[in-house]
Amino acid sequence: MPWELLDRNGPDGCPRGNLLVEGDNLDVARLLHPEHAGKVDLLYLDPPFASGQDYLVATLREGRRRLQHAYRDRFPGGLARYREWMAPRLEAACGLLAPDGALYLHCDTRACHVLRCLLDEILGERRFRAQIAWRRTTSHPDAGFYGAVHDVILFYADRSHSMRPVRSERDPELVRRYYRYRDPDGRRFMSDNLTGAGPGPARSFGQRGLLEPPHGRHWLHDQEGLDRLLAEGRVFWTRNGVPRLKKYLDEAGGIPVGDLWLDIQPLRSWHRREATGYATQKPEALLERIVGASSKPGGLVADFFCGSGTTLVVAERLGRRWLGCDVGSAAVQAARRRLLHGGVRSPFSVCRLGQAPGLPAPRARLQEGRVHLDGLEGVPEASWRELVDCWAVEWAPRGEDFRPDWWALRGESGLLPVLSVPAPGPPEGLCPRVRVYGIEGGVATVRALGTGTP
Ligand SMILES: C[S@@+](CC[C@H](N)C(=O)[O-])C[C@H]1O[C@@H](n2cnc3c(N)ncnc32)[C@H](O)[C@@H]1O
């Protein structure tokens, strides 16, 4: 492949594994075509929405909140230009889709009509399955106007695509309103009709004797069925002595999900576990629904506008293989950080297609079996840490590929660790390779010289 391998993560001897690529997805999808055409089971795409805005990523570095450019979502020339830009990218990505695979394209009301027409052309109208409205906010500042509170997710799949049925939890307010009754043991139920339209015979209701159904109706169960319901305590008597069926909440299951998704909360700043500071990050719950519904464990999930890597971490957690791509270094860094923080189990590689900005050489030394990162050549002591996103150590380089044994990632405090963990095993004669990743996407590598002996 004509791209630069930045790091290979996973145990020695493992295959290249999942792939995160920094580069324009048009080139990346075309390069992946020979190996992956027709193999992607699920494609989730969350491209720029033609919003006319620039987006930022907010990170905590050295105790301060820094705002960094993430991506530009401006298309001078309007939707016509946007269409022109999206068309080859959608075509290239869809070329990788398996015949029974599924595509979910996330957009909003500004361009969904354009994208739907494009996808009808690329995949065929008959593959169109749903236009999902996901409520991403509850209020909109545009008072006096019909403010947009939902995003649109276009779902395309062939009839051969097998989907796992999706159910959502019942609305607590509706549960409170309808499941009003409880058995003595606290089991909650609602009362439901025991009759259907059309006349029918009287039935015996145990001690209450023979009861005629209401005029023009019939009891829904035959005598045997009614006896069983009575024996199981599933008949509820109203104050007027009318028998009704008990429908228990614990047997009701979730509600089959339609094309209106109101039950997945948008990501808020207080969702600290998953918030990365990436402006347009989507909630993991949304991707859990999509990945869970439209792919199987071991299947291949791809996201060519992966941003902070939401699809990738969810695919990883649910045991799918994954391919991710984003043109922005801030996005790829956020995704890598997230995958590493999340304790990824499967091996993955990070590659780059295209030129990266330069980064001054790091000053690293080995002392007492640990690597000390002392700075970047020519950068003042007071500011070099802010230029570094993270760094990594490969204790005993094993060939061309950089295979980190240890990562220095900023923790919750945003401080960059400058001292590695001790070298594993006997440190004698070590000459570790140290790679520093700059916040603008540059990468610089040195050998840490010094003493390996503690
Ligand atoms: C809406 S964001 C995706 C957010 C992502 N779903 C998440 O949860 O973080 C759109 C992404 O598309 C990326 N992008 C824009 N143009 C691209 C291109 N030509 N190739 C790859 N990625 C691109 C942007 O850098 C941005 O990260």
Side-chain angles (χ1 to χ4, degrees):
M1 286 286 176
W3 45 46
E4 180 191 358
L5 176 71
L6 298 178
D7 39 275
R8 260 182 90 158
N9 300 279
D12 276 357
C14 66
R16 188 191 62 189
N18 298 320
L19 192 61
L20 171 60
V21 189
E22 180 179 328
D24 187 330
N25 52 21
L26 181 57
D27 306 320
V28 173
R30 285 176 178 166
L31 281 167
L32 289 172
H33 198 268
E35 198 184 331
H36 290 91
K39 297 201 177 140
V40 171
D41 300 298
L42 167 62
L43 198 51
Y44 169 80
L45 301 176
D46 178 20
F49 289 4
S51 66
Q53 292 181 43
D54 289 339
Y55 291 98
L56 301 172
V57 53
T59 46
L60 197 60
R61 287 204 299 274
E62 303 310 306
R64 277 174 52 196
R65 189 169 175 268
R66 319 273 166 163
L67 292 175
Q68 191 184 339
H69 171 78
Y71 68 98
R72 201 174 163 76
D73 186 2
R74 293 177 192 271
F75 293 86
L79 286 180
R81 172 73 196 106
Y82 179 70
R83 187 185 199 283
E84 244 172 57
W85 184 81
M86 280 299 290
R89 287 175 173 79
L90 284 178
E91 212 159 328
C94 289
L96 304 181
L97 205 55
D100 61 349
L103 164 78
Y104 290 76
L105 177 63
H106 196 134
C107 49
D108 72 7
T109 48
R110 272 171 288 216
C112 69
H113 56 300
V114 172
L115 295 169
R116 188 163 161 186
C117 288
L118 262 177
L119 287 177
D120 281 352
E121 282 168 27
I122 297 169
L123 291 171
E125 281 170 44
R126 63 181 185 83
R127 286 212 173 88
F128 170 76
R129 300 286 283 275
Q131 176 161 323
I132 297 159
W134 169 52
R135 183 173 64 191
R136 61 170 167 75
T137 177
T138 41
S139 61
H140 196 279
D142 234 338
F145 185 64
Y146 300 121
V149 293
H150 77 280
D151 279 359
V152 173
I153 302 174
L154 301 172
F155 170 40
Y156 281 74
D158 192 72
R159 300 282 144 195
S160 58
H161 173 64
S162 76
M163 263 191 85
R164 194 179 59 84
V166 184
R167 294 182 172 269
S168 72
E169 287 196 3
R170 287 171 185 267
D171 180 341
E173 176 52 29
L174 294 183
V175 167
R176 201 183 56 77
R177 199 178 311 157
Y178 290 110
Y179 288 85
R180 281 188 290 152
Y181 308 102
R182 288 182 190 269
D183 276 344
D185 62 2
R187 203 173 170 204
R188 200 162 180 168
F189 65 88
M190 65 182 270
S191 96
D192 202 6
N193 208 338
L194 252 184
T195 64
R203 301 264 186 234
S204 162
F205 281 79
Q207 290 173 346
R208 305 237 180 182
L210 200 64
L211 292 183
E212 289 287 346
H215 179 70
R217 299 187 68 81
H218 65 278
W219 297 115
L220 279 177
H221 298 266
D222 60 14
Q223 191 58 56
E224 201 182 325
L226 280 177
D227 290 345
R228 198 172 45 247
L229 289 176
L230 286 161
E232 289 171 358
R234 285 179 181 262
V235 175
F236 168 74
W237 295 93
T238 67
R239 260 178 277 163
N240 302 334
V242 176
R244 290 183 58 91
L245 182 66
K246 289 183 184 176
K247 276 189 122 176
Y248 287 105
L249 180 60
D250 57 16
E251 291 175 349
I255 311 244
V257 167
D259 61 6
L260 182 60
W261 294 5
L262 306 176
D263 57 329
I264 295 183
Q265 298 304 309
L267 203 64
R268 310 259 194 223
S269 54
W270 58 85
H271 290 140
R272 295 188 59 189
R273 186 187 65 76
E274 60 175 289
T276 63
Y278 201 80
T280 50
Q281 179 182 346
K282 301 300 177 294
E284 290 180 12
L286 183 72
L287 271 302
E288 271 162 14
R289 171 165 296 171
I290 292 172
V291 173
S294 279
S295 70
K296 297 194 182 88
L300 182 60
V301 174
D303 182 343
F304 289 110
F305 294 93
C306 74
S308 63
T310 312
T311 311
L312 318 184
V313 292
V314 168
E316 173 67 30
R317 193 183 307 138
L318 299 183
R320 274 63 166 173
R321 293 171 298 129
W322 50 263
L323 281 173
C325 166
D326 199 287
V327 75
S329 55
V332 170
Q333 286 173 352
R336 184 203 275 111
R337 270 198 303 273
R338 221 167 150 190
L339 287 159
L340 291 168
H341 272 307
V344 174
R345 286 159 294 138
S346 347
F348 74 99
S349 304
V350 184
C351 300
R352 179 176 28 226
L353 194 63
Q355 272 307 104
L359 184 71
R363 288 187 286 113
R365 70 196 148 88
L366 181 67
Q367 192 177 340
E368 297 178 346
R370 291 171 162 228
V371 172
H372 297 242
L373 184 64
D374 291 331
L376 296 177
E377 293 296 348
V379 182
E381 170 59 26
S383 54
W384 71 267
R385 287 179 180 81
E386 288 167 24
L387 301 182
V388 174
D389 179 60
C390 61
W391 59 285
V393 177
E394 189 190 25
W395 287 112
R398 345 181 236 286
E400 279 275 289
D401 295 355
F402 181 65
R403 310 184 69 122
D405 296 299
W406 179 78
W407 279 95
L409 302 169
R410 293 175 191 275
E412 283 214 349
S413 62
L415 296 179
L416 181 74
V418 291
L419 185 62
S420 78
V421 296
E428 221 63 55
L430 276 183
C431 191
R433 196 153 41 165
V434 177
R435 182 159 288 180
V436 175
Y437 296 76
I439 53 160
E440 302 294 344
V443 168
T445 313
V446 287
R447 294 289 185 138
L449 300 176
T451 158
T453 317

